[in-house]
Structure formats: structure tokens, C-alpha cells
Amino acid sequence: MTNSQVKGLSKCGTEMPWRPIVQQEKKIEIALFRLGTIAPIVYGEYLQRGDKEALIRSLTEQKVRIPYSLRSRLARSTIMEWASMYEQSGRRLQSLFPRDRSDRGVPRSIRAEEKNTLLDYLERNPTTFACRAYRNLFEQGIMSSRLSPSSLSRILKAEKMTRRDRLERLKAKQLTEAVQLPRNEYEWGLWMLRLLQGKVDRKNIQGRLKGKLGETEIDLLLSCIKEKPRMYRNRAMAVVASLCGIPTATVVSFLCMSRSGVGGILERSQTSALSCLLGFERDRKRKYEDQSCIDAVFRILHAPPSDYGINRTTWKLDDIHRVMCEMGLPIWKHGITLIIRNAGYTFTKAKKVLTSNDPNYREKLSAITRILADLGPDEKFFSIDEFGPFSVKMQGGKSLMPKGQRRTVPQWQRSKGQLLITAALELSTNQITHFYSTKKNTGEMIKMLMKLLRQYPDEKTIYISWDAASWHVSKALKETVDEINNTEERRSGKSPLVKLTP
């Protein structure tokens, strides 16, 4: 590279001062790459034509890393164009700079007329989202250009028309301008919207309604607009708007009401007090609060349906409603439901409780309860019972299966054996002791008793409770318990005392 070219590089930053430095550095990097590519061709003055063509062919066939590009190969026409531009400029490096786009800063995806239409629409509707505004204009046929969200966002940012910018301008306008009555229908609607949102100063409204209403009535209207349900809010809005001079047609359009409805509200406001127009208290009780209806409903429920000519054993809501109408107390079905619920009645599932045919059941239950209440730390209470015998068969239930397959269980299957489990549940610690066997008899109960003695040798007393099965009250079992309690080990305190509870 010649000295003049180096001087040209040092002046690149001063020839175009409006370009950012980063952009200028990218151009220099690209120009140096292009110069390095065409240097063998431009400076190879003594190359024959065949050698030059071979050199160009080799450049087009090899892969190269092009700065700021995803391509890796160069076309012959591109190389020849770079060499021609370099020669025609007197071998100046600036001739190899990439050219700027002629339409830089001008959106190509939308025409200027459509762009202005979109911006005007957003200016008139500052709270509308840009995507929704573009979709509305496109569906109406006003705009035909298709914009991606990124292109739309880029245009709005360049014009400072994003929703945040528009809302900030709207807020600044509302803060700087005094609250005053609008002059056209659009401004009337905007003023009423601000009033509905509580953005109109209370003192301003009181000043405009002064002499027409008292301060108490003005406060009642404004609190109703801010806090009450829609029906009363619309009434208050209609009264305030009318007294402020807003046309009735604008009020009808804003509140989405009929002209006769708004006219009736205004007529009532002139002939009666505002408290009656905006009142919430009912003049009479609802039927489900009427004591005569409540008494009639429960009088019907406490009588069988056959007393009222209904061939049923239980009541239905339709039947109660029909009987109430026949008694001269018409009430809707939901009112009957409210009467029953307000009285505290609910639907509950019946609870199954354990019962016994033992005449001494209560005495035995009291004895067990008393023992459990006074149970010491060195005493244990066991409830013993058996489950079975049951057959060992394939059972149903959920299984982890591959897709398309389903586990099946035969309805009739041969048993693989029988089992019986004998278990003792310790009620104070909720611990269980169990073993499997094949039969129920006194021997198995003695086996469980010995297992408990081995498992709890340090306890002072062991209480045993079971049902009245024959092997639980056998003579051999009682003799075994007496023998355990009378042994030398029991008297020396090395084994617990066994007590059979009733």
C-alpha cells in the first residue's frame, strides 16, 4: 500500500464527519479485504491473460471469510467490478468502500400516505395499541401494506409515536391544561370518561354545579359515580352530564342507553330527590326474607308429601314450589333454596358407626376408655384381630404399561394359596406387630401373646383387647395367661403382667 493510501486512511474520519466511528471502521475493514482480494490482479502488471484468468478462477473457487457477511465465495463479476472501480478512481482505497443505501431511513414496507394515515390514527387514539390500530386499518381496507411487528415498532420509534410516548404527551397535556368543558362530541365523551375514572377535580365539578345543586347532593353524585354499581353510576353520570350542559345524544351514546331511559332519569331527578333516584334500600323485604314464606316452607318439609297429594316419600324442589303456589305464597325456586340454606340446613353424607349386640357394650367400652386414659409410660394396650383367610390371586388396580397395551385380570382364576394375618396394634404408639399363618385357633393367639412378651419385656403391664371369638376366650388361653402371670419371672419383675380387658 502506498503512502498516499495510508494518508487516505487517516483522513477517512474527517472526510465524512457525520458517520459514526464504528460504521467508518467497518467500511475500512471491508475495503481492506477487497483490496487484498484484487491486489494480485491489479498490481500484477506483467501477468499474461491466461495467468490472470487462472488467478481469478482460483479466487472464485476458494472459500474466504467476508467481513460482516454470511457468504464464503466471490463471483468473477464481483472481483472484476472491484478491480475496475479501484483502477478508475486512481487506485484510491475509498473507491472500495461499501456504498450506503439510497433509501436509508425511509421505510420500504409501507407507502408514505399509509404511514401518515397510521400516525394520524394513533395521534387521535393515544391509548390504542399500535398493532391493534394497524389491524383495524388493514381490515377496513385503508392500508394494504403488510408490516411485521419489528417494522411497525421501528417506524413508531423513529417518529416517537410509541404508546408510551403518546400516553406521556396525553398526560402532560391533561396536567398543563385547565379542566374545562369540551366543545364537540368527541371531547364531551373524553371528558365524561375522565369523570368516570375520577380524573376530574372535585372542586371543578362543584364550581360548575354550584347554584344548581347543594354540596351534599354533589358529593352524593360523585361518590355514586366512583363507588356504586353500574345502574346507579349511570344515573349519576346522566344527571351530572345534563347539568353541565352536555347534549342528551352524547350522554346516550357514551352510556350505551336508550334515549327514553336517559330522559326518564333526568325527569325523575327533577321531580324527586336524588337520594330516591340513587337509593339502594328496598321498600319491601324479599320473599325469602318474609317470615310467612319461611314458616310455610318448613311446614311443608316437616310433613310427608302424601299429605299434599304427592305420591312420593321425599320432597323435590319442584313439588315444594308447586305447593307454595297453591297456598297463595308464590316464590321462585332459588328463593326456597335460600330459605333452607339461611336456616343452616346443608346436604351431608350419612356416617356409618360401629354397633354391637352385646348388652354390656357400654360398660366394656367405658372400661377400655378408662384404661387408655390412665395408661402409664410403662404400660401398653394392644388391640388384636385377624384378617382372612384370603386367597392369593392376581388383583386389579393401576399398572405402568406401554402405549397400546392394557393389563387384564381374569374374572375366574385358581387360587395360589391361602393366607391369614394376625396383628396387634399398640394404641398409644400406633405400632403394629403381626405374623402370617394358615389358621385361626387358640395356638395362634398364644403365639401372638409370646411374641408380644418377647418384644416388650421391659413393660410393667400389657393390656390385651379382642372380640368375642371362641379362640379368644378359650380355656387354654386363659390358663396360659394365668401361668405367665404366676411364674417366678413375673414375680421377680422380669416380664410384664398380662391383663385381658373386657
Side-chain angles (χ1 to χ4, degrees):
M1 195 176 344
T2 63
N3 292 334
S4 61
Q5 291 172 342
V6 175
K7 292 178 181 179
L9 287 177
S10 63
K11 293 179 181 179
C12 287
T14 59
E15 289 182 359
M16 293 179 288
W18 62 88
R19 297 296 186 191
I21 297 177
V22 177
Q23 189 71 13
Q24 193 70 12
E25 291 178 354
K26 290 182 179 180
K27 288 187 176 184
I28 295 174
E29 186 179 353
I30 295 173
L32 290 175
F33 167 76
R34 293 178 177 180
L35 179 59
T37 303
I38 64 175
I41 303 172
V42 174
Y43 293 102
E45 299 176 356
Y46 301 102
L47 289 175
Q48 300 296 328
R49 179 174 178 80
D51 297 337
K52 184 180 288 189
E53 288 295 332
L55 182 58
I56 295 174
R57 190 181 306 110
S58 66
L59 291 174
T60 58
E61 292 177 354
Q62 65 183 357
K63 289 186 176 182
V64 294
R65 189 183 66 83
I66 304 174
Y68 309 105
S69 176
L70 299 178
R71 299 182 180 181
S72 59
R73 295 184 184 275
L74 297 172
R76 183 181 184 280
S77 59
T78 304
I79 298 174
M80 296 303 296
E81 183 182 0
W82 290 350
S84 176
M85 290 189 304
Y86 188 66
E87 290 289 353
Q88 292 176 5
S89 65
R91 295 188 176 184
R92 296 178 67 249
L93 185 62
Q94 286 83 351
S95 63
L96 297 177
F97 282 5
R99 292 188 295 270
D100 293 330
R101 284 177 47 174
S102 59
D103 59 347
R104 185 178 181 86
V106 179
R108 296 176 295 169
S109 56
I110 185 173
R111 298 195 302 273
E113 299 82 3
E114 294 182 345
K115 175 184 172 183
N116 295 332
T117 302
L118 177 61
L119 296 179
D120 292 341
Y121 183 87
L122 292 175
E123 188 67 34
R124 295 193 307 270
N125 303 276
T127 60
T128 305
F129 289 94
C131 293
R132 184 176 299 174
Y134 165 71
R135 185 167 59 250
N136 293 340
L137 294 175
F138 187 83
E139 292 175 353
Q140 295 173 10
I142 299 176
M143 294 182 63
S144 59
S145 302
R146 293 187 176 273
L147 288 175
S148 63
S150 58
S151 299
L152 181 60
S153 176
R154 187 167 53 252
I155 293 172
L156 296 178
K157 286 181 180 179
E159 300 292 339
K160 294 186 177 180
M161 286 293 292
T162 61
R163 189 169 183 268
R164 178 178 294 179
D165 296 333
R166 288 180 277 126
L167 290 178
E168 288 179 354
R169 288 196 294 269
L170 177 62
K171 185 176 181 180
K173 182 179 178 181
Q174 293 175 351
L175 292 176
T176 55
E177 294 180 357
V179 179
Q180 56 183 357
L181 290 178
R183 294 179 297 275
N184 54 54
E185 184 175 357
Y186 171 75
E187 293 180 349
W188 281 118
L190 184 60
W191 184 85
M192 285 192 290
L193 179 61
R194 293 175 57 210
L195 175 62
L196 189 61
Q197 295 173 347
K199 296 181 180 180
V200 178
D201 189 17
R202 178 184 290 265
K203 293 183 179 179
N204 185 279
I205 300 296
Q206 290 176 346
R208 298 187 181 280
L209 300 181
K210 189 175 181 180
K212 301 178 181 179
L213 294 175
E215 292 187 2
T216 305
E217 295 176 328
I218 294 174
D219 293 338
L220 177 62
L221 287 171
L222 295 180
S223 63
C224 184
I225 292 174
K226 185 178 179 180
E227 302 172 358
K228 301 306 180 182
R230 187 184 63 177
M231 179 177 68
Y232 301 100
R233 185 172 64 240
N234 287 348
R235 293 179 182 179
M237 281 291 297
V239 173
V240 173
S242 175
L243 294 176
C244 288
I246 300 178
T248 305
T250 304
V251 178
V252 168
S253 177
F254 179 81
L255 297 179
C256 299
M257 297 177 63
S258 63
R259 181 178 290 272
S260 60
V262 174
I265 292 173
L266 299 178
E267 183 179 354
R268 287 180 60 187
S269 66
Q270 295 174 0
T271 58
S272 60
L274 288 178
S275 57
C276 298
L277 181 65
L278 306 176
F280 294 89
E281 297 295 332
R282 295 176 61 92
D283 296 336
R284 56 186 178 83
K285 290 185 177 180
R286 297 180 182 272
K287 288 190 176 181
Y288 66 85
E289 298 174 346
D290 189 358
Q291 191 61 39
S292 60
C293 292
I294 296 174
D295 296 340
V297 168
F298 285 105
R299 189 164 55 251
I300 294 171
L301 287 175
H302 291 157
S306 57
D307 291 355
Y308 296 91
I310 300 173
N311 188 20
R312 285 181 58 85
T313 58
T314 58
W315 283 104
K316 293 195 308 181
L317 188 59
D318 293 337
D319 296 336
I320 299 175
H321 176 260
R322 181 168 58 83
V323 172
M324 289 286 290
C325 293
E326 293 176 354
M327 295 173 61
L329 296 172
I331 183 174
W332 76 111
K333 297 179 183 178
H334 184 62
I336 300 174
T337 303
L338 290 176
I339 290 175
I340 298 173
R341 288 181 180 176
N342 292 341
Y345 287 87
T346 57
F347 286 98
T348 57
K349 187 176 181 179
K351 179 181 178 181
K352 290 185 178 180
V353 295
L354 296 177
T355 57
S356 175
N357 55 4
D358 188 351
N360 300 322
Y361 169 74
R362 293 296 176 186
E363 291 78 3
K364 293 180 179 180
L365 180 61
S366 299
I368 293 174
T369 306
R370 186 170 55 256
I371 293 173
L372 288 173
D374 299 333
L375 197 67
D378 55 352
E379 296 177 337
K380 292 291 184 289
F381 192 103
F382 292 94
S383 178
I384 301 177
D385 204 352
E386 304 89 359
F387 177 75
F390 55 89
S391 300
V392 180
K393 295 181 180 181
M394 186 185 302
Q395 302 294 327
K398 293 185 178 181
S399 301
L400 186 64
M401 302 294 293
K403 188 176 182 180
Q405 296 186 16
R406 191 168 186 177
R407 180 171 174 265
T408 59
V409 178
Q411 180 181 6
W412 305 103
Q413 50 182 308
R414 181 175 295 179
S415 173
K416 296 182 180 180
Q418 288 186 344
L419 275 179
L420 185 146
I421 182 172
T422 303
L425 176 64
E426 206 289 306
L427 299 185
S428 63
T429 59
N430 201 31
Q431 299 296 313
I432 191 168
T433 303
H434 71 284
F435 61 83
Y436 293 97
S437 60
T438 58
K439 51 192 174 181
K440 299 179 184 179
N441 54 27
T442 303
E444 298 300 318
M445 294 299 101
I446 296 174
K447 179 179 176 181
M448 171 58 75
L449 183 59
M450 295 303 177
K451 187 177 180 69
L452 293 177
L453 291 175
R454 289 193 301 269
Q455 187 172 355
Y456 298 92
D458 299 330
E459 302 297 334
K460 177 182 177 181
T461 306
I462 289 179
Y463 293 93
I464 304 295
S465 174
W466 42 36
D467 56 22
S470 59
W471 55 89
H472 291 164
V473 294
S474 63
K475 184 184 296 184
L477 180 60
K478 292 182 178 180
E479 291 175 354
T480 302
V481 172
D482 293 339
E483 182 179 354
I484 292 172
N485 291 334
N486 293 328
T487 58
E488 293 295 334
E489 292 185 359
R490 167 80 278 285
R491 285 195 295 269
S492 61
K494 295 182 179 180
S495 65
L497 175 67
V498 179
K499 290 185 178 182
L500 302 180
T501 59

